[in-house]
Amino acid sequence: MQQTPTVSQPPRHTGGRMPPAFRYPAFRAYWLGLLCAVTGFQMFRVAQSWLVYELTGSPLYLGYALAANAIPGIFFNLVGGVFADRMDKRVLILCTQGGTGLLILALALLTITGVVEVWHILVIAFLTGAVEAFDNPARQAFFPHLIERSVMTSAVALNSSIWQGTRIVGPAIAGFLIDLVNTGTALFVSAAGFFVMAVVMLFLSVPPIPQGAPANPARAMWEGMTFIGRNVIFAFLIGMTFFNSFFGMAYVLLMPVFAVDVLEVGARGQGFLLGIGGVGSLLTTIWLGARGGFQRRGLAIVGGAITFGLGVIAFGVTSHFLGWYALALALMVVVGCSNSIYMISIQSSLQMLVPDNVRGRVMGFYSMTWSIMPLGGLQAGALASVSWIGAPFAVAIGGAAVVLFALATGTFNGRIRDLGGVARSDG
């Protein structure tokens, strides 16, 4: 399969202890810009929710705001992947980051001037979600051109560490600004993060990147779907991500039920459950970023997915029958660590194997599987509402689905089990 364009080797004096991907100056600049943008994104989510509740006092409207942001990703990520393959990726990211910054800046001005209404927030949430659907595939298709293939896992892990870390830092900064100053100020700072990323992309120098999508968007999307469908490895990697988002991660959305009704630890206990899982995930991600990945990628994906699924099953079942909070915390560490291992291995394998001319469309499908996570929460909530199932077994069913898919596909296909060898031979 087609490789990413050759990137100049990193300077020798960067030091052996630096994570492999950080030895490339262009990737370091991109990573710092992404850190600012994602921090801004996490702040925007918090400020947006606070503003909605401040205006309406309604939990239902909080759900409307989240849905308005998530729905465009489900429908537009595939189109965004086509644009990523047809356009200059650097320019596309510059436009999407700048556009998101302008939308949040508009909301900040409406808030500061005291004229904001809830429909303003819902419209801006929808528009930012639509822009993100073009931004995500472009970013996923862009950063592999800043590094050599040999450090792909390090780059994927370092990018993932931003999302893991800012889930803790971003909301804390937003909450501090809302409490100390006002919501409008938090939104201004959020918008600034996106503008920083846009400036980084404006001045970032990258090698020529091929553009391979046909002019007809429908044909381009069909080409991307058939490419994934006829290649068992890509179908497995995308399918594994779907099962993770739709079934496996449902425990996050049902965690309030566990905190209040099952384990009876309240909001603070819920924070510790999600927080300790996030810490485990972040530490694993940082370790992978410094290490550079696994030789046996197939085993890491299948084994990590099975461990994750079993951890989710154990969390649901033991919480129901034993109600031990300490055990639930320990299982959340296992779930967080194993999820990072197999999801980072999936993304780095995709990036190493996908040809450049369909990279945007493949990563558009990959991004779409994350956008459906709220629908996974919906199916888990529907199961949990059945009296003889309940939240613990709804979560356990999701974990079992991940385990079964990993076993069914990984056990019977040698190319998946030898994914590391496939990546090396195709490289």
Side-chain angles (χ1 to χ4, degrees):
M1 293 185 182
Q2 187 175 343
Q3 299 185 28
T4 55
T6 302
V7 181
S8 59
Q9 291 292 334
R12 294 181 178 275
H13 61 270
T14 52
R17 294 186 179 180
M18 181 178 289
F22 271 171
R23 298 171 192 168
Y24 297 80
F27 180 80
R28 287 202 303 272
Y30 169 85
W31 189 89
L32 290 171
L34 185 63
L35 175 63
C36 294
V38 177
T39 303
F41 172 80
Q42 303 289 7
M43 292 178 64
F44 170 61
R45 283 288 179 88
V46 172
Q48 170 189 267
S49 297
W50 183 269
L51 193 57
V52 167
Y53 199 72
E54 197 173 44
L55 290 173
T56 67
S58 168
L60 182 61
Y61 272 91
L62 290 175
Y64 289 158
L66 291 173
N69 189 256
I71 288 172
I74 299 172
F75 294 100
F76 295 149
N77 263 304
L78 303 185
V79 181
V82 173
F83 273 71
D85 280 336
R86 282 198 55 79
M87 293 183 60
D88 184 319
K89 296 172 180 59
R90 184 184 65 86
V91 173
L92 180 56
I93 297 169
L94 191 160
C95 293
T96 55
Q97 292 289 315
T100 303
L102 288 173
L103 287 168
I104 298 174
L105 181 61
L107 182 59
L109 291 171
L110 289 169
T111 304
I112 289 291
T113 55
V115 299
V116 67
E117 297 181 21
V118 69
W119 71 268
H120 294 141
I121 305 170
L122 296 178
V123 168
I124 289 176
F126 182 88
L127 292 176
T128 55
V131 175
E132 286 167 21
F134 288 82
D135 181 71
N136 287 333
R139 283 190 291 100
Q140 296 285 356
F142 175 77
F143 80 84
H145 297 274
L146 306 178
I147 55 171
E148 295 287 346
R149 281 165 49 94
S150 60
V151 301
M152 186 67 75
T153 301
S154 174
V156 169
L158 288 168
N159 287 346
S160 297
S161 70
I162 291 177
W163 290 93
Q164 302 287 354
T166 57
R167 284 193 182 99
I168 302 169
V169 176
I173 295 173
F176 176 79
L177 288 173
I178 291 170
D179 182 60
L180 188 66
V181 191
N182 52 48
T183 309
T185 301
L187 289 168
F188 273 120
V189 176
S190 168
F194 289 94
F195 290 136
V196 169
M197 181 60 166
V199 171
V200 169
M201 297 307 299
L202 180 63
F203 292 103
L204 196 63
S205 177
V206 296
I209 301 174
Q211 300 169 19
N216 187 318
R219 180 185 167 195
M221 282 189 282
W222 177 251
E223 191 177 85
M225 286 189 288
T226 54
F227 174 82
I228 294 171
R230 68 172 179 259
N231 188 307
V232 66
I233 290 180
F234 286 100
F236 164 72
L237 294 173
I238 298 290
M240 195 76 257
T241 309
F242 167 80
F243 270 76
N244 177 76
S245 299
F246 192 76
F247 294 106
M249 297 302 291
Y251 77 90
V252 175
L253 301 170
L254 290 183
M255 192 60 78
V257 181
F258 281 86
V260 175
D261 298 327
V262 182
L263 297 171
E264 299 180 350
V265 294
R268 180 176 295 183
Q270 174 185 296
F272 280 118
L273 283 167
L274 292 174
I276 198 167
V279 168
S281 182
L282 176 60
L283 292 176
T284 305
T285 300
I286 293 172
W287 175 71
L288 283 171
R291 185 179 187 272
F294 302 99
Q295 291 296 318
R296 303 184 68 179
R297 291 175 182 272
L299 180 62
I301 294 172
V302 175
I306 291 172
T307 304
F308 168 79
L310 291 176
V312 171
I313 294 170
F315 170 73
V317 172
T318 60
S319 295
H320 175 73
F321 287 108
L322 302 177
W324 293 351
Y325 181 52
L327 178 58
L329 289 170
L331 288 170
M332 279 296 98
V333 174
V334 174
V335 167
C337 293
S338 56
N339 184 260
S340 284
I341 287 173
Y342 86 91
M343 289 309 301
I344 289 171
S345 298
I346 284 174
Q347 189 184 150
S348 59
S349 298
L350 273 175
Q351 293 284 19
M352 292 180 71
L353 291 169
V354 66
D356 287 328
N357 63 324
V358 293
R359 187 180 299 275
R361 281 163 285 174
V362 171
M363 300 317 293
F365 276 92
Y366 174 82
S367 298
M368 185 180 67
T369 60
W370 284 105
S371 299
I372 64 171
M373 192 182 296
L375 297 182
L378 183 63
Q379 65 83 20
L383 283 176
S385 66
V386 178
S387 58
W388 56 273
I389 297 179
F393 290 102
V395 163
I397 289 169
V402 174
V403 172
L404 290 174
F405 183 81
L407 281 173
T409 52
T411 302
F412 299 108
N413 194 294
R415 281 175 62 81
I416 291 172
R417 293 195 303 273
D418 188 36
L419 193 56
V422 173
R424 287 191 296 273
S425 65
D426 285 344

